[in-house]
Amino acid sequence: MKKKFYILSSLILLIGCNNIDSSTPIPNSKEVVRNTNSVNVAQQVVETTPTRTLSKVKYIDKPIVIEQGMLHIKGFMGTIQPTLKSALQQDGDHATAMSACSSVAMQMTNDYNNITNGVKIRRTALKYRNPANKPDEVDKEVMYRFQAVKNFKPVAVDMGSSYRVYKPLITKASCLYCHGSKSDINPKIAKMIQKKYPHDMATGFKLGELRGVVVAEFPK
Ligand code: HEC
């Protein structure tokens, strides 16, 4: 078991920083056109509307897009969940399972992203454990909305040239071993988390709360 743990740990180090950069550049709101025909200069300041402002999320109500995103998410979740489940079953104090959740999940993310052309799958949260999973502005707004409306159905967002589908992840009893309050987490796990993720924010969750989201992003 020790050997397995070391293998998993080195995987973490290898793939720890595979965060996907999902930021979309926002064009300048003002564009000055050069005066070539000596016309009135005042008319030559062309106003262009930004394609997306970071504070506005363009939700779309297209069942087909949500379905497409959910197919990718289910494919991906199908690959990580059995891994986590069997690691939890094999390992009484969940120390190996913790490495499984971090490294194997991320490895699977890489594999999945390699085989599915143009589709990116990632996990993020408002209170995240791994800084590589930090949410961007759109992610944050979507999660605030999930918390506010308490409706945990997947949603789709128009990102300009791509779509994002967000599937909420709700805290289940099995998540509390590693994301619950102090009394839920075995001291050995707490120590490992503290060591590997010194700035961890992903504890203190309660049953039924929004833990985070899985995001599928794919070209239109
Ligand atoms: C055995 C310990 C363990 C269990 C059980 C566990 N997790 Fe995690 N979880 C982790 C670790 C470690 C990370 C950091 C992974 C990384 O490095 O990307 C993590 C990361 C996450 C993330 C990515 C965002 C972040 O915080 O970095 C989400 C979302 C998440 N877990 C949800 C869940 C849910 C939902 C459950 C229950 C179904 C669950 N986890 C069960 C240990 C665990």
Side-chain angles (χ1 to χ4, degrees), residues 98 101-102 106 128-130 133 174-175 178-179 197 211:
M98 197 198 85
C101 188
S102 60
M106 290 187 87
Y128 51 87
R129 173 155 293 167
N130 186 339
N133 299 329
S174 64
C175 314
C178 303
H179 298 296
Y197 309 94
R211 166 64 188 91

Side-chain angles (χ1 to χ4, degrees), residues 12 16 18 81 84 88 93-103 105-106 123-125 127-134 169-179 189 193 196-197 200-202 205 211-214:
I12 298 173
N18 75 337
Q81 274 181 345
L84 181 60
L88 277 168
D93 62 12
H94 306 116
T96 310
M98 197 198 85
S99 328
C101 188
S102 60
S103 60
M106 290 187 87
R123 292 188 306 174
T124 184
K127 292 200 295 169
Y128 51 87
R129 173 155 293 167
N130 186 339
N133 299 329
K134 191 179 165 185
L169 291 171
I170 308 308
T171 311
K172 295 190 229 162
S174 64
C175 314
L176 300 178
Y177 292 119
C178 303
H179 298 296
I189 299 236
I193 295 174
K196 171 89 181 82
Y197 309 94
D200 179 34
M201 292 183 272
F205 285 90
R211 166 64 188 91
V213 287
V214 185

Side-chain angles (χ1 to χ4, degrees), residues 33-134:
V33 178
R34 286 242 157 259
N35 183 356
T36 45
N37 297 330
S38 63
V39 210
N40 186 351
V41 181
Q43 287 176 353
Q44 308 207 340
V45 177
V46 178
E47 298 277 341
T48 54
T49 351
T51 49
R52 173 170 72 87
T53 50
L54 283 181
S55 59
K56 282 219 175 84
V57 173
K58 204 170 157 197
Y59 291 101
I60 47 160
D61 187 18
K62 282 191 187 164
I64 185 107
V65 173
I66 295 183
E67 232 166 75
Q68 197 182 343
M70 284 305 290
L71 269 178
H72 293 301
I73 290 171
K74 279 180 188 155
F76 161 69
M77 300 286 276
T79 54
I80 65 160
Q81 274 181 345
T83 312
L84 181 60
K85 214 170 167 185
S86 65
L88 277 168
Q89 276 163 0
Q90 279 166 27
D91 171 25
D93 62 12
H94 306 116
T96 310
M98 197 198 85
S99 328
C101 188
S102 60
S103 60
V104 177
M106 290 187 87
Q107 182 63 60
M108 295 287 187
T109 308
N110 279 350
D111 290 348
Y112 191 84
N113 290 334
N114 283 342
I115 52 168
T116 48
N117 243 347
V119 185
K120 286 175 184 165
I121 309 262
R122 60 194 169 87
R123 292 188 306 174
T124 184
L126 289 167
K127 292 200 295 169
Y128 51 87
R129 173 155 293 167
N130 186 339
N133 299 329
K134 191 179 165 185

